[in-house]
Amino acid sequence: MKKIAYILLSLLIFSACEEKKSTETIEKSTEKPQKPNENNFGIVLHGGAGTILKENMSDSLEAAYKAKLTEAIQTGYAILEKGGTSLDAIEKTINVLEDSPLFNAGKGAVFTNDGKNELDASIMDGKTLNAGAVAGVTTVKNPINLARAVMEKSEHVMFARDGAEQFAKEQGIEMVDSSYFFTENRMKSLKRAQKREKVELDHDDKTAFYDPYIKDDKFGTVGCAALDKHGNLAAGTSTGGMTNKKWGRVGDAPIIGAGTYANNATCAVSSTGWGEYFIRGVIAYDISAMMEYGNKSLQESARKVIQEKLPKMGGNGGIIAIDHKGNVAMEFNTAGMYRASMNGDGELYIGIYANN
Amino acid sequence: MKKIAYILLSLLIFSACEEKKSTETIEKSTEKPQKPNENNFGIVLHGGAGTILKENMSDSLEAAYKAKLTEAIQTGYAILEKGGTSLDAIEKTINVLEDSPLFNAGKGAVFTNDGKNELDASIMDGKTLNAGAVAGVTTVKNPINLARAVMEKSEHVMFARDGAEQFAKEQGIEMVDSSYFFTENRMKSLKRAQKREKVELDHDDKTAFYDPYIKDDKFGTVGCAALDKHGNLAAGTSTGGMTNKKWGRVGDAPIIGAGTYANNATCAVSSTGWGEYFIRGVIAYDISAMMEYGNKSLQESARKVIQEKLPKMGGNGGIIAIDHKGNVAMEFNTAGMYRASMNGDGELYIGIYANN
């Protein structure tokens, strides 16, 4: 009986210890071992999510996308590798995408209902939690640069439309004639959307917006997130909005917490998708909050938000993100998302469809 | 020896059970017992936070504020008591505050740098997580009504400036001539701010905005949150922005997640304060996220966000909120905040300064 009591005692003590240990293991298993600082950096970008299917894509167009995604990610990577800041890296990376007609941002911006191009952008610094955003600018070549100027050169976070243009002029930001944003492809998209809208008497199908490249009209935004060698995170997003946009609609791209969020304590995130749902779900910040308060990893948080919470609301799209340890997430619930990443070892990843 | 083993065993088992129980107790202690549904409703509002001090306030002005706060909260309470929706209650409550020149919203909106009144508002439905927002409207009498129309009559969340005005006209929202928003008091504030700005050659002090009523210039917004008898939460916020505002600045009031958030699973929140910090901190949603992922009560979350996280960033202001059990929070880190609440038992609370 004495022996049995001892055995039971030992078992009890052992099981109590085991329980504690397994909890610790679970908590730790979400953390990858930290690399030495010199290689602990990385960058990830997206060029929009949507119904991007291999069968709708020509080989030459696919090659053009891949080339531009590669050029963009390498631009930011080069800055990080030399010890540059994550803010510089994401700004210059986004500039490459903004200057390409392939993406719905900058040069490739879609047209509004009245044939204008209205651009939005936002940026956030994970070190200071400072942020900048602009909505509805029409003559700013690279809206992400203006968002950064709002963050660094004003006490404000967000400027809209003509006010934002005025600030851009005062700050010496590069301006262009609005005709710079004219592309034949985007004009065709607008005409097609308006023709379809006229036919659509049943307004139950309210998605009267369309982007021929990604087979959807609510999508197509560019964004980038990076971790630099100094341990600082940053994220930025830039968009041309929705084809056939009306009423000065503002999507999630210029909304801090929805389209962009960065915090050195957690992660840096840029969103792309059906903007209204990203605003309602506060998607970018939600991933950070789940990490901070729920002790989840970036990967778990991104998956839960994009694959569970967002579809439950009826929304779709994706995010790219990087955490303070260099872990990267590229999560989307659409058929595809233009995306690329490079880690501290210089490994390049390029993806378009669900299975690469 | 046998006895000792038994005692140890019993102690171990007991302590294991105790540990489990105490955890449960802690978790439960944050939840107040749920009242029967008929009385389980409530409403809370704010009329702006800032350096509101008894010594700067005349008796008659204080009485006027208290009377208007009472009228506003009773308006929403009456709707809830009759079984009306939280959305109706907060909209009508905010209308009372918008129609008064005492608050920086609607009729009492402050002037921009070029002598205009640009109004912002947002609303969110905790049941559906749907939301609506408008930024920079100039001829809409009650911007909260337009925000609700954006939420209910469009597939979008946010409209800005002339686009939002166009939508308002199409929806038959009550429009006024922009001269409706002229008040002598607010014009004086603008003149004073501009005079001071001219003198302030050292731009290190960038707070060139001023509201004489609340002894600050970044503040003064109205908002309301309510829980109805059907268990549905809603929140809304309306503002005239900052005195001497430039560059089409957008504050937190029309930003879902920053100025307004509502979710039946957690709480409904409306913010007031230095808008830039509320955007950067995603303040309204942060309180909800801390409840959801951190298992904190509304009171704990609101306190942590407003008394710890916000000041750590350098920001100030306050929030009012109500959770799905009818618990109310009125948290601010400024000298005062115009505020009022009524619970399901009809108990009225009115406060202006820190100690009531």
Side-chain angles (χ1 to χ4, degrees):
Chain A
M1 193 62 190
K2 229 199 286 186
K3 269 190 191 167
I4 294 171
Y6 277 132
I7 290 164
L8 276 173
L9 238 178
S10 307
L11 275 174
L12 264 169
I13 293 165
F14 179 71
S15 71
C17 293
E18 262 308 277
E19 197 181 356
K20 199 164 170 245
K21 199 174 147 199
S22 77
T23 313
E24 276 175 6
T25 313
I26 290 166
E27 275 168 12
K28 279 212 178 137
S29 74
T30 64
E31 298 181 5
K32 287 186 185 169
Q34 200 160 349
K35 292 177 196 172
N37 245 1
E38 189 55 30
N39 282 341
N40 190 32
F41 66 97
I43 184 163
V44 57
L45 68 78
H46 68 76
T51 315
I52 313 170
L53 295 167
K54 182 98 180 156
E55 58 259 37
N56 297 326
M57 182 79 83
S58 70
D59 287 349
S60 61
L61 188 59
E62 186 181 299
Y65 269 113
K66 285 187 171 174
K68 194 50 79 176
L69 292 169
T70 307
E71 181 193 340
I73 202 82
Q74 283 176 340
T75 300
Y77 178 82
I79 292 166
L80 296 174
E81 199 189 17
K82 282 180 203 133
T85 67
S86 49
L87 278 172
D88 283 343
I90 62 149
E91 184 185 18
K92 301 301 177 201
T93 296
I94 290 172
N95 285 165
V96 173
L97 302 170
E98 283 177 332
D99 292 345
S100 162
L102 288 173
F103 304 95
N104 177 18
K107 174 68 185 157
V110 298
F111 285 96
T112 63
N113 178 261
D114 51 1
K116 289 182 187 162
N117 307 94
E118 294 179 354
L119 296 84
D120 307 326
S122 65
I123 195 166
M124 190 158 180
D125 178 355
K127 184 185 175 189
T128 60
L129 300 184
N130 204 352
V134 291
V137 294
T138 56
T139 59
V140 174
K141 182 166 176 269
N142 294 102
I144 194 72
N145 303 12
L146 180 56
R148 188 169 178 181
V150 174
M151 174 171 79
E152 293 178 345
K153 307 284 172 60
S154 87
E155 61 163 341
H156 302 292
V157 168
M158 188 172 184
F159 293 151
R161 301 175 80 88
D162 44 334
E165 303 266 337
Q166 179 60 34
F167 181 76
K169 279 174 210 154
E170 291 173 21
Q171 293 295 326
I173 297 286
E174 188 176 355
M175 312 294 280
V176 288
D177 187 85
S178 61
S179 64
Y180 165 80
F181 299 105
F182 181 91
T183 57
E184 199 57 46
N185 254 321
R186 302 301 192 193
M187 185 45 86
K188 274 186 199 158
S189 300
L190 175 63
K191 296 259 165 72
R192 215 179 293 126
Q194 290 181 332
K195 199 175 162 189
R196 204 174 52 212
E197 189 184 37
K198 233 178 180 170
V199 176
E200 276 170 3
L201 288 174
D202 175 10
H203 279 278
D204 276 354
D205 176 14
K206 286 178 180 167
T207 57
F209 307 89
Y210 195 80
D211 183 320
Y213 283 153
I214 54 176
K215 299 281 164 197
D216 212 316
D217 15 67
K218 299 175 294 294
F219 302 104
T221 288
V222 310
C224 185
L227 170 70
D228 64 29
K229 289 182 178 180
H230 318 287
N232 292 322
L233 290 166
T237 310
S238 183
T239 190
M242 287 169 112
T243 301
N244 199 25
K245 189 180 85 165
K246 293 172 196 167
W247 307 301
R249 178 253 187 190
V250 181
D252 64 317
I255 307 293
I256 298 301
T260 300
Y261 187 75
N263 186 336
N264 275 3
T266 52
C267 60
V269 186
S270 170
S271 308
T272 174
W274 194 342
E276 276 70 15
Y277 289 91
F278 279 72
I279 296 177
R280 291 165 52 188
V282 201
I283 296 297
Y285 182 65
D286 199 27
I287 293 170
S288 171
M290 211 179 270
M291 289 177 72
E292 186 177 352
Y293 305 132
N295 288 316
K296 295 263 193 298
S297 71
L298 171 64
Q299 198 53 256
E300 284 176 287
S301 304
R303 197 176 299 132
K304 201 164 172 68
V305 169
I306 299 300
Q307 307 299 354
E308 293 176 33
K309 292 185 78 174
L310 184 62
K312 202 177 153 191
M313 290 174 70
N316 51 4
I319 59 96
I320 54 94
I322 186 165
D323 72 10
H324 57 296
K325 296 194 193 77
N327 297 311
V328 159
M330 294 178 268
E331 200 72 42
F332 54 99
N333 60 24
T334 46
M337 179 169 80
Y338 297 111
R339 61 201 186 275
S341 71
M342 282 186 87
N343 65 16
D345 297 325
E347 289 163 346
L348 172 71
Y349 169 86
I350 302 279
I352 296 181
Y353 317 105
N355 51 358
N356 201 27
Chain B
M1 191 65 190
K2 228 198 284 184
K3 268 189 190 167
I4 294 173
Y6 277 131
I7 290 165
L8 277 172
L9 237 178
S10 308
L11 275 174
L12 265 169
I13 293 164
F14 180 71
S15 71
C17 293
E18 261 307 279
E19 198 182 355
K20 199 164 169 244
K21 200 174 147 198
S22 77
T23 314
E24 277 176 5
T25 313
I26 289 166
E27 276 167 10
K28 280 210 177 138
S29 74
T30 64
E31 299 180 3
K32 287 187 184 170
Q34 201 161 346
K35 291 176 197 172
N37 245 1
E38 189 55 30
N39 282 341
N40 190 33
F41 67 97
I43 184 162
V44 56
L45 68 80
H46 69 76
T51 315
I52 313 170
L53 295 168
K54 182 97 181 157
E55 57 259 38
N56 297 325
M57 183 79 83
S58 70
D59 287 349
S60 62
L61 189 58
E62 186 181 299
Y65 269 113
K66 286 187 170 173
K68 195 50 78 176
L69 292 170
T70 306
E71 181 193 339
I73 202 82
Q74 284 177 340
T75 301
Y77 178 83
I79 292 166
L80 296 173
E81 199 189 17
K82 282 180 203 133
T85 68
S86 50
L87 279 172
D88 284 343
I90 63 149
E91 184 185 18
K92 300 302 176 203
T93 295
I94 290 172
N95 286 164
V96 173
L97 301 170
E98 282 177 333
D99 292 345
S100 162
L102 289 172
F103 304 95
N104 177 18
K107 173 69 186 157
V110 298
F111 285 96
T112 65
N113 177 262
D114 51 0
K116 288 181 187 162
N117 306 94
E118 294 178 355
L119 297 84
D120 308 325
S122 65
I123 195 166
M124 190 157 180
D125 178 355
K127 184 184 176 189
T128 60
L129 300 184
N130 204 353
V134 291
V137 293
T138 56
T139 59
V140 175
K141 183 166 176 268
N142 295 102
I144 195 71
N145 303 11
L146 179 56
R148 187 169 179 181
V150 173
M151 174 172 78
E152 293 178 345
K153 307 285 171 61
S154 87
E155 63 163 339
H156 303 291
V157 169
M158 189 173 183
F159 293 150
R161 300 174 81 87
D162 44 334
E165 303 266 338
Q166 178 60 34
F167 181 76
K169 278 174 210 153
E170 291 173 21
Q171 292 295 326
I173 297 287
E174 188 175 356
M175 313 294 281
V176 289
D177 188 85
S178 60
S179 64
Y180 165 80
F181 299 106
F182 181 91
T183 57
E184 199 57 45
N185 253 322
R186 301 302 191 192
M187 185 45 85
K188 275 185 199 160
S189 299
L190 174 64
K191 296 261 166 70
R192 216 179 292 127
Q194 290 180 333
K195 198 174 161 189
R196 204 173 53 210
E197 190 185 36
K198 234 179 181 172
V199 177
E200 275 169 3
L201 288 174
D202 175 10
H203 278 279
D204 276 355
D205 176 13
K206 285 177 179 165
T207 57
F209 308 88
Y210 195 80
D211 184 319
Y213 283 153
I214 55 176
K215 299 283 163 194
D216 213 316
D217 15 68
K218 300 175 295 293
F219 302 104
T221 288
V222 309
C224 185
L227 169 69
D228 64 29
K229 290 182 178 179
H230 318 287
N232 292 322
L233 289 166
T237 309
S238 183
T239 190
M242 287 170 112
T243 301
N244 199 23
K245 188 179 84 164
K246 293 172 196 166
W247 307 302
R249 178 253 188 189
V250 180
D252 64 316
I255 307 293
I256 298 301
T260 300
Y261 187 75
N263 187 336
N264 275 4
T266 52
C267 60
V269 186
S270 170
S271 309
T272 174
W274 195 341
E276 277 69 16
Y277 290 92
F278 279 73
I279 296 176
R280 292 165 53 189
V282 201
I283 297 297
Y285 182 64
D286 199 27
I287 293 170
S288 171
M290 209 178 271
M291 290 176 71
E292 186 177 352
Y293 304 134
N295 288 317
K296 295 263 192 299
S297 70
L298 171 65
Q299 197 53 256
E300 284 175 286
S301 304
R303 197 176 298 131
K304 201 163 173 67
V305 169
I306 298 301
Q307 308 299 353
E308 294 176 32
K309 292 186 78 174
L310 184 62
K312 203 178 154 193
M313 291 174 71
N316 50 5
I319 59 96
I320 54 92
I322 186 164
D323 73 10
H324 57 295
K325 296 194 193 76
N327 297 311
V328 160
M330 293 178 269
E331 201 71 42
F332 54 100
N333 61 24
T334 46
M337 178 169 80
Y338 297 112
R339 60 201 186 276
S341 70
M342 282 186 86
N343 65 16
D345 297 325
E347 288 164 345
L348 171 71
Y349 169 86
I350 302 278
I352 296 181
Y353 318 106
N355 52 359
N356 202 25

